[in-house]
Amino acid sequence: MPHTTTTPGWKRLVAVALGTAWLYASQAIAAPLDLMQQFPDIQVSELDISYDAGTGSFSANSPGDVMLAYSDGIDPTEYFDWTYSLSASLDSGTGALISGSLEIRDGSSNLRLAGSLTAFGYTDAGNTDVFEFLFDGIDGALAGDFGALGGIIINTSSSSFIGDFTTDFTATSLESDTFAAVVPIPAAVWLFGSGLLGLAAAARRRH
């Protein structure tokens, strides 16, 4: 007589829950990324920021040549003729990142650092909003110092952003950091994972 096996109910439950957790964790939701500045770090003295709700285009560009300070955590080196260009395509309803890129060049137009944006987050704080990005695919002369993943924190002043991506806004940044990133796991994901383990244990005890 053929022998058939049936996957226990608790295993099916865990499989479904893990699939749900994966979908949850992979959603591109515009919320704070809670990045922490690391070294090496490139500090930019000034950026002009704009967002067009009609196209979902977000940009943060240096107004001509600006001062950048490259620091390994010990002695910063200042450069006065570098250019910084960040462009992102956002969902005009949710603010979720669709695509984007970062490019930093020196005064001779040599590529110093570049990458593809992979995540976007923000903190709506009146006229001093904070915008955060992650990027990978790192290229350029400084790529070896940054590793596989980079982070960007843009602190703004005079921002007209009101937490709504259906409305145009502009801002100025007098302090932004581009650095080798260490990404914290959101507390919600930890809690969700703990809940999954609890459900699995309870279901297994019943069998």
Side-chain angles (χ1 to χ4, degrees):
M1 183 175 181
H3 177 70
T4 60
T5 59
T6 303
T7 303
W10 70 269
K11 288 186 177 180
R12 288 198 300 271
L13 175 64
V14 171
V16 172
L18 287 175
T20 303
W22 170 255
L23 289 173
Y24 173 83
S26 63
Q27 291 298 308
I29 300 172
L33 297 180
D34 295 325
L35 299 180
M36 297 181 63
Q37 178 190 351
Q38 307 288 326
F39 293 101
D41 173 45
I42 298 176
Q43 292 185 326
V44 185
S45 61
E46 184 178 357
L47 292 175
D48 289 335
I49 299 160
S50 65
Y51 172 75
D52 184 335
T55 61
S57 298
F58 178 103
S59 65
N61 299 314
S62 55
D65 297 341
V66 296
M67 190 276 285
L68 286 82
Y70 179 75
S71 176
D72 58 4
I74 302 175
D75 295 317
T77 302
E78 296 182 348
Y79 301 92
F80 291 90
D81 57 354
W82 288 22
T83 57
Y84 186 106
S85 177
L86 180 150
S87 61
S89 177
L90 306 180
D91 184 290
S92 58
T94 64
L97 177 69
I98 298 172
S99 62
S101 62
L102 167 72
E103 188 174 281
I104 301 175
R105 292 185 178 273
D106 63 22
S108 299
S109 296
N110 297 312
L111 185 64
R112 308 303 292 184
L113 189 69
S116 299
L117 304 181
T118 59
F120 167 65
Y122 69 91
T123 300
D124 182 11
N127 63 355
T128 56
D129 304 306
V130 179
F131 300 109
E132 300 173 287
F133 292 90
L134 290 173
F135 63 97
D136 63 9
I138 298 176
D139 194 10
L142 298 176
D145 297 340
F146 277 75
L149 188 66
I152 301 167
I153 301 175
I154 301 174
N155 296 290
T156 70
S157 61
S158 304
S159 173
S160 62
F161 177 59
I162 57 174
D164 180 4
F165 291 92
T166 64
T167 304
D168 296 352
F169 63 83
T170 60
T172 299
S173 171
L174 299 180
E175 178 187 350
S176 67
D177 295 276
T178 301
F179 49 87
V182 176
V183 185
I185 298 177
V189 175
W190 283 118
L191 291 173
F192 193 71
S194 299
L196 288 180
L197 292 176
L199 284 173
R204 191 168 189 178
R205 282 196 297 268
R206 290 198 298 267
H207 291 272

